[in-house]
């Protein structure tokens, strides 16, 4: 059961309604397909599948200050993207929540851009706190950042997203063992359980099995939700926030569809790392209609 | 040849432990992580006096590097502790992405480097760590020579902003550098002025170079001996100044030839001042079990090997 939030810092700053969030999500999806189309590379599938989560966090859930960006983020909630290949959704959400100009999305994956193929701090892009892309490292980093918050007496929350295929990396399980043992209870981790990875379905490739049972056995509080519906996702995040401060970290297993929102990309690993061609882009944009499109 | 008196021999890892404990008292942002080797890394005093700032990670070095990177976000200065092998090769990609490329202020502190780890054998005797770490852009690489210098280096790296690899070892060696030394990252230390050959040594080989200098003096050879405790950034100015004077160079280190100090100096000389160079280092080989002294003898990392290298390089010197 959801508990009352442990402090005001968890109270959402923005009061966006679900219809408003849906409009933002559609605009973000337009950015994603246009970004990867423009450079004929990048990862649209996972980006489209995780759009509701990132929009929820940056436009409703997290207390954060986009400008000026502060790496240490004292007093701010912070998000880490472990599966860095879904950078298009991360960049779009960062830009549209005010970390950097939306026009900069046009530089994605191009020479001399701050928007590297995978997220990096090296070019000082506001909103990015760690490089990611080589998989399996984000849960450790987020756990360290959460422990730094505890040392600082900082009551804000650390969020991290991992892919489900990414859970095949051993380091994830080192961190999964560590965080409950060290009572890192200011941490909410998400798994993008879309069931797909490059070579096919995760069940066939990695045999992830019963993730709830696995993480519970490691000492996590585990919640499950549909990650593509704000109506289910937002209450689950709220429930997760209510579980903070009780000596255990929280893991949200989020069922999503890769490519969600674009019918021909949905549910298939084939759109993991492939960009749409001109015709496919036009089809996708027709499906992603917003009241007032503000494409970059 | 100058004399280098010392009153005691100590292990360099204890210098790290003492430095870390002092940092615990003087710098509230310093935190420490260890992968189940508190005693071996001499971190006991820090753990006892600053338990809130110590994180026992268990045998999970990859996680330790990620945690350290995360702890910097919020202003902490994490010092990680494990053996050199598990501080580098085992976690290379974690260091590369989460620490080096991300520009995180992590201090990777590595004990039991090289052959002098001894009887545990080649699985634990990493001889490639300097090379691995110096190849990473902006990684600072330090290999101090004795207890006092390791303690001073430990204090100094806390004030340096950026990732550092600090390498030290297990055996007891003469503690001859001053207790009150100011450790300057990237600055060589001139130990003995000489005119016939330049010996650039790092880590445990610095003392061996001093022993070699005495043997050479008996043969009428006046060796310039310089301690290069920082492999990266390299003190190019001091190295070139000395080499231009003596016209021949010997390097000495407890590491592979490939990727070590000698490799860095060879690159520098080839670009700036091509001169005869001989390297005292392990030549494309793993180590093995044995006592530290036996191993250093077998793999040619002692004063005799340095003397032989000096004689060889001086014979190659332009007349």
């Amino acid at each position: 059961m959801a508990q009352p939030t442990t402090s005001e810092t968890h109270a959402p700053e923005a009061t966006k309604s679900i219809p408003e969030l849906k409009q933002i999500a559609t605009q973000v999806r337009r950015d994603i397909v246009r970004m990867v189309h423009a450079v004929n590379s990048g990862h649209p599938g996972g980006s489209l599948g995780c759009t509701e989560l990132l929009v929820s966090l940056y436009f409703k859930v997290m207390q954060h200050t986009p400008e000026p960006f502060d790496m240490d983020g004292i007093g701010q909630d912070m998000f880490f993207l472990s599966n860095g290949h879904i950078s298009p959704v991360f960049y779009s959400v960062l830009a549209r929540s005010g970390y950097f100009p939306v026009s900069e999305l046009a530089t994605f994956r191009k020479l001399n851009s701050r928007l590297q193929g995978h997220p990096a701090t090296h070019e000082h892009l506001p909103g990015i706190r760690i490089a990611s892309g080589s998989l399996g490292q984000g849960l450790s980093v987020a756990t360290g950042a959460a422990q730094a918050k505890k040392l600082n007496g900082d009551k804000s929350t650390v969020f991290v997203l991992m892919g489900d295929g990414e859970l095949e990396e051993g380091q994830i399980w080192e961190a999964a063992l560590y965080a409950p043992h060290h009572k890192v209870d200011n941490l909410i981790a998400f798994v993008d359980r879309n069931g797909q990875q490059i070579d096919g379905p995760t069940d066939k490739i990695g045999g992830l099995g019963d993730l709830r049972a696995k993480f519970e056995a490691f000492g996590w509080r585990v919640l499950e939700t549909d990650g593509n519906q704000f109506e289910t996702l937002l209450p689950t995040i709220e429930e997760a926030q209510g579980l903070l401060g009780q000596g255990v970290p929280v893991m949200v297993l989020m069922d999503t569809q890769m490519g969600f929102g674009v019918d021909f990309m949905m549910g298939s690993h084939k759109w993991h790392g492939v960009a749409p061609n001109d015709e496919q882009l036009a089809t996708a944009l027709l499906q992603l209609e917003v009241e007032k499109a503000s494409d970059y | 040849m100058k004399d280098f008196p010392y009153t005691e021999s100590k292990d360099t890892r204890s210098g790290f432990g003492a430095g870390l404990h002092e940092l615990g008292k003087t710098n509230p942002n310093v935190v420490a992580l260890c992968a189940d080797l508190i005693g071996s890394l001499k971190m006991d005093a820090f753990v006892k006096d600053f338990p809130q700032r110590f994180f026992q990670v268990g045998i999970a070095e990859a996680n330790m590097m990620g945690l350290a990177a995360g702890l910097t976000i919020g202003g902490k200065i994490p010092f990680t502790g494990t053996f050199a092998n598990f501080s580098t090769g085992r976690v290379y990609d974690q260091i590369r992405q989460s620490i080096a490329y991300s520009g995180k202020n992590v201090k990777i502190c590595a004990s039991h480097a090289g052959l002098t780890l001894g009887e545990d054998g080649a699985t634990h005797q990493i001889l490639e760590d300097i090379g691995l770490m110096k190849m990473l852009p902006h990684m600072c690489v330090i290999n101090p020579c004795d207890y006092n210098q390791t303690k001073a280096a430990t204090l100094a790296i806390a004030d340096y902003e950026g990732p550092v690899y600090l390498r030290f070892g297990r055996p007891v060696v003469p503690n001859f550098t001053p207790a009150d030394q100011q450790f300057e990252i990237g600055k060589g230390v001139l130990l003995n002025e000489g005119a016939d050959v330049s010996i650039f040594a790092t880590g445990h080989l610095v003392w061996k170079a001093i022993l070699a200098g005495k043997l050479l003096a008996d043969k009428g050879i006046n060796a310039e001996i310089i301690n290069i405790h920082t492999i990266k950034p390299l003190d190019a100015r001091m190295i070139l100044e000395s080499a231009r004077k003596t016209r021949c160079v010997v390097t000495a280190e407890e590491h592979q030839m490939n990727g070590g100090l000698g490799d860095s100096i060879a690159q520098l000389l080839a670009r700036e001042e091509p001169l005869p160079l001989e390297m005292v280092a392990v030549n494309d080989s793993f180590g093995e079990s044995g006592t530290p002294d036996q191993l250093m003898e077998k793999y040619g990392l002692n004063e005799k090997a340095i003397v032989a290298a000096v004689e060889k390089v001086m014979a190659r010197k332009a007349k």
Side-chain angles (χ1 to χ4, degrees):
Chain A
M1 282 299 292
Q3 302 287 319
T5 51
T6 48
S7 86
E8 289 81 5
T9 53
H10 297 305
E13 189 174 33
T15 50
K16 291 233 170 357
S17 66
I18 286 180
E20 286 173 308
L21 293 172
K22 285 182 175 172
Q23 288 292 305
I24 296 168
T26 305
Q27 180 62 60
V28 165
R29 288 193 161 96
R30 292 178 69 87
D31 291 343
I32 292 167
V33 292
R34 293 180 68 240
M35 285 164 74
V36 298
H37 168 264
V39 287
N40 193 27
S41 73
H43 297 80
S47 293
L48 293 168
C50 291
T51 300
E52 277 77 15
L53 175 67
L54 271 75
V55 168
S56 296
L57 292 177
Y58 279 87
F59 288 90
K60 190 155 179 81
V61 174
M62 294 201 304
Q63 292 231 337
H64 60 117
T65 308
E67 170 67 39
F69 172 62
D70 174 27
M71 174 61 80
D72 286 341
I74 307 283
Q76 297 185 46
D77 295 330
M78 53 177 70
F79 170 75
F80 292 93
L81 180 68
S82 190
N83 47 331
H85 57 274
I86 67 165
S87 57
V89 65
F90 196 15
Y91 293 148
S92 169
V93 167
L94 285 175
R96 291 192 179 275
S97 58
Y99 282 86
F100 55 87
V102 171
S103 59
E104 200 169 340
L105 295 176
T107 70
F108 173 61
R109 282 183 171 244
K110 290 179 178 165
L111 193 64
N112 301 320
S113 171
R114 300 197 293 180
L115 279 61
Q116 292 292 298
H118 293 80
T121 59
H122 199 254
E123 283 72 26
H124 307 291
L125 184 67
I128 310 289
R129 291 193 163 90
I130 195 84
S132 62
S134 176
L135 295 172
Q137 302 183 29
L139 187 58
S140 302
V141 173
T143 303
Q147 290 195 294
K149 283 198 179 294
K150 282 179 173 282
L151 285 174
N152 289 332
D154 177 346
K155 302 289 185 200
S156 55
T157 303
V158 174
F159 298 87
V160 57
L161 172 62
M162 298 165 279
D164 53 355
E166 182 178 13
L167 301 183
E168 290 156 17
E169 291 282 6
Q171 187 183 347
I172 293 284
W173 300 97
E174 292 184 3
L177 197 60
Y178 177 95
H181 180 61
H182 287 262
K183 300 184 168 41
V184 184
D185 59 5
N186 53 345
L187 174 68
I188 300 177
F190 295 87
V191 174
D192 174 22
R193 193 160 61 177
N194 61 28
Q196 307 289 333
Q197 59 190 106
I198 291 177
D199 279 353
T202 49
D203 278 351
K204 281 194 180 162
I205 309 290
L208 295 174
D210 187 344
L211 286 177
R212 172 186 272 275
K214 284 188 169 78
F215 282 112
E216 282 178 347
F218 276 61
W220 291 72
R221 286 295 297 267
V222 180
L223 304 177
E224 295 181 72
T225 189
D226 183 330
N228 289 134
Q229 304 299 331
F230 287 113
E231 291 83 353
T232 53
L233 181 59
L234 285 169
T236 305
I237 297 174
E238 204 174 313
E239 186 183 353
Q241 289 176 298
L243 295 169
L244 295 171
Q246 298 177 21
V248 287
V250 183
M251 178 72 64
V252 179
L253 303 174
M254 197 179 68
D255 290 313
T256 68
Q257 285 203 60
M258 206 177 228
F260 191 83
V262 179
D263 61 6
F264 61 89
M265 290 185 176
M266 273 166 73
S268 165
H269 66 275
K270 293 193 174 63
W271 289 93
H272 165 85
V274 176
N277 61 27
D278 294 350
E279 195 182 329
Q280 288 162 333
L281 174 67
T283 309
L285 291 175
L286 280 177
Q287 295 175 20
L288 297 169
E289 274 191 277
V290 277
E291 282 161 19
K292 288 181 200 158
S294 62
D295 294 339
Y296 63 85
Chain B
M1 176 71 191
K2 260 173 69 181
D3 202 27
F4 293 89
Y6 63 95
T7 53
E8 57 178 347
S9 288
K10 289 168 112 171
D11 46 355
T12 51
R13 58 182 166 150
S14 287
F16 163 69
L20 184 67
H21 187 234
E22 191 166 321
L23 285 171
K25 290 182 267 188
T26 58
N27 190 333
N29 285 326
V30 167
V31 299
L33 303 90
C34 186
D36 196 32
L37 287 168
I38 292 170
S40 295
L41 270 285
K42 304 293 178 188
M43 296 168 90
D44 320 63
F46 186 95
V47 175
K48 180 171 165 284
D49 288 345
F50 310 102
Q52 301 305 315
R53 286 149 62 192
F54 174 74
F55 302 95
Q56 172 60 270
V57 181
I59 311 164
E61 295 82 6
N63 187 39
M64 178 164 74
M65 293 304 166
L67 290 168
L71 279 159
T72 66
I73 301 166
K76 302 302 159 199
I77 307 172
F79 282 62
T80 67
T82 183
F83 287 175
N85 189 32
F86 314 133
S87 294
T88 57
R90 187 176 181 90
V91 290
Y92 196 62
D93 187 48
Q94 284 76 17
I95 294 174
R96 181 177 182 275
Q97 175 172 283
S98 291
I99 296 174
Y101 184 43
S102 293
K104 296 305 181 201
N105 193 23
V106 175
K107 315 305 170 186
I108 302 162
C109 302
S111 185
H112 293 57
L115 293 173
T116 50
L117 172 143
E119 292 80 351
D120 279 351
T123 53
H124 289 51
Q125 292 162 340
I126 194 163
L127 294 162
E128 301 82 29
D129 54 324
I130 291 175
L132 287 169
M133 290 298 109
K134 82 176 188 184
M135 277 197 292
L136 292 172
H138 312 305
M139 179 67 75
C140 176
V141 180
I142 298 174
N143 188 22
C145 69
D146 69 359
Y147 172 96
N148 283 340
Q149 191 160 76
T150 308
K151 184 179 176 190
T154 304
L155 300 176
I157 62 176
D159 293 329
Y160 169 93
E161 177 72 31
V164 175
Y165 179 62
L166 180 66
R167 177 196 215 231
F168 41 89
R170 176 172 182 252
V172 165
V173 294
N175 185 26
F176 68 96
T177 66
D180 60 350
Q181 66 191 284
Q182 276 298 96
F183 188 90
E184 283 189 77
I185 294 169
K187 297 294 268 184
V189 180
L190 176 64
L191 294 172
N192 191 64
E193 272 193 58
D196 299 328
V197 61
S198 299
I199 303 175
F200 300 111
T202 193
H204 292 143
L205 267 289
V206 173
W207 182 252
K208 306 286 187 196
I210 289 170
L211 296 178
K214 289 176 182 160
L215 296 173
L216 290 165
D218 293 342
K219 297 174 184 242
I221 296 169
N222 185 10
E224 179 140 299
I225 303 172
I226 294 176
N227 172 9
I228 302 292
H229 53 58
T230 308
I231 289 97
K232 187 182 171 190
L234 194 65
D235 190 348
R237 192 170 152 183
M238 185 181 231
I239 291 165
L240 286 172
E241 222 167 78
S242 174
R244 280 174 177 141
K245 178 176 73 176
T246 64
R247 311 304 299 169
C248 66
V249 169
V250 166
T251 62
E253 63 198 303
E254 190 180 349
H255 191 271
Q256 300 284 355
M257 262 182 214
N258 279 329
L261 171 68
D263 164 304
S264 288
I265 290 179
Q267 288 185 43
L268 175 70
L269 294 179
R271 283 196 309 269
E272 302 285 341
E273 189 77 54
L275 286 168
L277 167 80
E278 292 292 333
M279 298 184 197
V280 173
V282 174
N283 187 8
D284 200 28
S285 165
F286 291 103
E288 65 181 85
S289 291
T291 68
D293 284 345
Q294 287 171 337
L295 291 164
M296 296 296 262
E297 167 84 25
K298 175 167 177 176
Y299 288 86
L301 301 182
N302 58 15
E303 59 273 28
K304 280 192 293 184
I306 296 172
V307 168
V310 165
E311 288 173 337
K312 192 172 172 192
V313 85
M314 285 185 67
R316 292 171 56 201
K317 202 160 144 172
K319 294 291 179 286

